[in-house]
Amino acid sequence: MPYGGNTCKNVPSFPTTHRSYPMNKAELIEAVATKTDSTKAQTAAMLDALMATVQEALTKMDSVQLVGFGTFAVTERAGREGRNPATGKTITIPAKKVVKFKVGKSMADAVANSKAKVAKAR
């Protein structure tokens, strides 16, 4: 039977690339190693170095911009009042630094176009 039990002749049957769970680090390493014709060990070392470098930059309050992919930046979240859901008591939530990611235009366009294709095919 075609993908998804589709029996309509004018609707294409194709396997989906959408997953119900996120890609994990091992799967990312395997995918990149395949695309770059590298070993998994080499790819894992490069990915670890990339993540360490981004983390070092962010801890120095620098932003990391990968044109077409996105920008990682650190912002300060202000302190605020909140409630303990268990007791209903008012608590003070302290200010803290958080990492934010802003998607680049090329990435946003690619994702938007892929959703449009999936919506049309269904």
Side-chain angles (χ1 to χ4, degrees):
M1 180 171 275
Y3 168 72
N6 184 358
T7 57
C8 297
K9 293 181 180 179
N10 61 347
V11 178
S13 296
F14 56 92
T16 182
T17 56
H18 175 72
R19 298 158 41 121
S20 60
Y21 58 92
M23 178 183 280
N24 65 32
K25 186 176 178 182
E27 292 168 334
L28 177 62
I29 288 169
E30 185 174 346
V32 172
T34 301
K35 287 186 180 201
T36 60
D37 200 27
S38 301
T39 66
K40 288 182 187 179
Q42 291 170 326
T43 304
M46 286 187 279
L47 181 59
D48 288 342
L50 173 69
M51 291 189 309
T53 304
V54 170
Q55 183 175 337
E56 287 171 17
L58 294 173
T59 58
K60 295 176 186 173
M61 300 300 289
D62 291 336
S63 62
V64 178
Q65 181 180 18
L66 303 171
V67 176
F69 183 76
T71 303
F72 296 92
V74 177
T75 61
E76 183 80 22
R77 182 179 291 164
R80 61 191 193 280
E81 294 293 316
R83 290 204 181 274
N84 180 333
T87 64
K89 183 179 175 184
T90 300
I91 58 172
T92 301
I93 301 169
K96 68 178 187 175
K97 296 174 189 171
V98 294
V99 177
K100 294 205 174 180
F101 179 76
K102 182 178 180 194
V103 178
K105 183 172 176 6
S106 297
M107 177 72 76
D109 291 347
V111 171
N113 290 335
S114 69
K115 285 186 177 183
K117 289 177 185 174
V118 171
K120 288 179 186 176
R122 289 184 181 178

